Each structure stands twice: as C-alpha cells, then as structure tokens.
Amino acid sequence: MSDIEVLANHACFDGSLRFVRHNSQALGVPATFGIFLPKEALAGQKVPVIHLLAGLTATQETFLIKANAIRFAAEHGIALVAPDTSPRHTGIKGEDDSYDLGSGAGFYIDATSEPWSHHYRMETYVGEELPALTERLYPLDGTRRGIMGHSMGGMGALLQALKYPDRWKTVSAFAPICHPSTVPWGQKAFDAYFGGDPMKWQRCDPTLLLRSKHTHPSTILVDQGLMDQYLADLCPDALEAAAKEGGQSLELRRHAAYDHSYWFIQSFIADHLTHHAKGLSA
C-alpha cells in the first residue's frame, strides 16, 4: 500500500466526500478516515474544519452517513474529518472479543499498558497526526478547527478540548460519557488500557478534568436525550456540576423524548454546525 490511498470519492452537496487510508505512525497500522470537502475547498480556498468522533462499534463512515452533518457543513462552507474509532487488525489477542474494548472501542486515549500501548494511541492520532496529515493534503485552516463527538466520541471530543484547548477552537458533544472513571464502560477500558492506574484515569475523565481546572475558552455545547437508554452511564449532571465548579461555560440541553440514537443527533445537528460555524468564524 502507498502511504496515502483514496478508497472512495463521492460527489456530495456540491463538494466531495472521500474515504482515505494511510499508514499511521501513531497507531502503527494502516488507518482510514473520511473527509468532506465543501465546494469552497475544491476551489482551493482554505476552509474551517470540524473533526467528528463516533461512538462504540462505529467506524469512519458512521457519523458521516448517519448524522446528516454534511448538509449543514456544506451550507457553512466547513470541512468534516471523521477518523475510525480505534486501530484495526493489530494482532492483539482479544481485541475483537467484545464491543466495548479493543476494535471499535479506542476511547480516544493513549493506552500505557501492554499489549494495548503499542497501537491504541487514539489521543495522539486524533489530536496530532490526523490534523497534521489532513491539513497538509487538503486546504483546511488549522487555526479554525473544531471537534464534535457522540457517546464515546463525545467523551473524546471533551478530552481533546479540555486537555489541548489550543488545538480546538470549538467543541460540542451528543450524549457524551461524561464521568467514565465511575461507570462500567470507562472502568473496563481504563483498567485494560492503563493497567488499573487510577492517576491515569483522572487525565482522561472530562468531569475530573473540569474539577482540576482544565477548561476551554469557548462555550461547550452538549445535547442529552432523557430517554437515552444509557443515561445512567453518561452522567451529564456530574459534568454540569464540574463545569460550574471549574468555571467552564457549558450549554447542556436536555431533551425529554430523545434516546441515544443517530435520530437524536439528526434532530439537533444543525444547531451544532451553527455553534461551530459561529465560533470558527470569530
């Protein structure tokens, strides 16, 4: 395989939707991402960009296909970049055994414990390698870069924004895992990826980051459905309390009839694109 391979290229809303495979240095295996380039980018104009982080079991296609984000990104002249949710085919024993650990469940963190630490480095991939690569290949303005996510990806978006506020000008999330160190999803992943070291959990828990005064200069937009089947494991109230304690501007919107699905995301995705468009044009 060459270093960069375009797997598919589709015309979409007067722009181009592409799926690209490359040899990832951070992950140590080939990785695939999706990218939407609006018509302005195809004409050579540098455009703002939002990175989309999907949830458990998803791939680089999921957010782009299911969220209806492309329609509104095209209206605002914004590019979208969607990574896969984990490394794939690393040869690690057991990586395909469960939906919430290993393949499809990278949790957007850098593992420090064997055998995961050699490949499961999604924090570095999402925060450093992928932006650098896409901004080298395409006319994307790295000074106008936002991040958005759903569920596990919402957790990842919050982590990136709170730990590296200089990298991301805007941030939003749908039904993020807000306090992973206290719920089974996070505890299972953190035990494996960090070897059970609780000090490393703190650096990858959005609620604990806010409590330790890690903040983002923008307002964080979060939408949460109150009919979400995973609500007890998402802990939005803990995030809200920590934001108030840490001085973080947070708009947490609760929606009575909505669940955890992409139907929920589709219902409010236009608001999120507007939120990012305003921040990225400021």
Side-chain angles (χ1 to χ4, degrees):
M1 189 188 90
S2 63
D3 284 346
I4 306 293
E5 181 182 5
V6 179
L7 303 175
N9 188 350
H10 308 281
C12 191
F13 291 103
D14 295 324
S16 175
L17 174 62
R18 304 173 187 182
F19 292 97
V20 180
R21 185 164 57 206
H22 70 106
N23 290 317
S24 170
Q25 296 299 310
L27 306 180
V29 291
T32 307
F33 65 88
I35 182 167
F36 169 71
L37 299 169
K39 62 184 179 181
E40 293 85 351
L42 298 184
Q45 177 183 333
K46 274 201 168 186
V47 297
V49 57
I50 303 170
H51 287 242
L52 310 176
L53 307 185
L56 288 164
T57 76
T59 71
Q60 69 281 350
E61 295 184 331
T62 309
F63 214 116
L64 292 168
I65 291 174
K66 292 186 174 183
N68 200 26
I70 295 176
R71 175 187 297 274
F72 301 105
E75 291 178 3
H76 290 292
I78 293 175
L80 303 173
V81 173
D84 202 347
T85 54
S86 75
R88 303 280 177 174
H89 311 297
T90 66
I92 296 174
K93 184 179 179 181
E95 73 172 336
D96 298 322
D97 288 355
S98 60
Y99 83 97
D100 54 356
L101 184 69
S103 296
F107 277 85
Y108 303 103
I109 56 90
D110 283 354
T112 59
S113 180
E114 297 283 357
W116 308 99
S117 57
H118 293 292
H119 299 290
Y120 278 69
R121 303 182 66 244
M122 290 296 291
E123 183 175 324
T124 295
Y125 179 71
V126 166
E128 298 179 22
E129 183 177 11
L130 188 58
L133 175 66
T134 52
E135 288 161 23
R136 175 171 62 84
L137 294 175
Y138 307 105
L140 309 181
D141 185 352
T143 68
R144 294 185 292 160
R145 186 194 304 141
I147 192 163
M148 177 195 308
H150 171 229
S151 194
M152 177 185 74
M155 170 192 148
L158 294 174
L159 290 182
Q160 282 287 332
L162 295 175
K163 292 179 76 170
Y164 312 107
D166 56 322
R167 294 179 183 171
W168 312 98
K169 196 170 183 182
T170 55
V171 57
S172 71
F174 291 92
I177 304 173
C178 297
H179 201 1
S181 63
T182 65
V183 299
W185 274 337
Q187 290 168 348
K188 179 177 179 178
F190 289 178
D191 276 345
Y193 295 148
F194 297 142
D197 184 344
M199 294 304 295
K200 293 175 181 176
W201 290 13
Q202 182 170 347
R203 297 195 292 270
C204 292
D205 184 316
T207 294
L208 296 181
L209 286 170
L210 284 168
R211 288 178 183 169
S212 60
K213 309 303 182 184
H214 286 79
T215 59
H216 192 271
S218 77
T219 296
I220 298 173
L221 174 62
V222 174
D223 277 310
Q224 176 62 60
L226 296 183
M227 294 297 290
D228 192 314
Q229 58 269 46
Y230 304 112
L231 184 59
D233 292 322
L234 300 175
C235 306
D237 294 348
L239 184 77
E240 187 174 51
K244 185 176 181 179
E245 178 184 333
Q248 172 65 54
S249 177
L250 170 70
E251 184 179 3
L252 173 56
R253 309 191 305 182
R254 296 172 173 86
H255 306 277
Y258 289 88
D259 59 19
H260 199 69
S261 71
Y262 273 85
W263 304 117
F264 161 57
I265 295 175
Q266 284 193 27
S267 301
F268 301 102
I269 191 68
D271 293 349
H272 283 245
L273 265 297
T274 298
H275 168 81
H276 286 272
K278 288 181 178 177
L280 296 176
S281 65

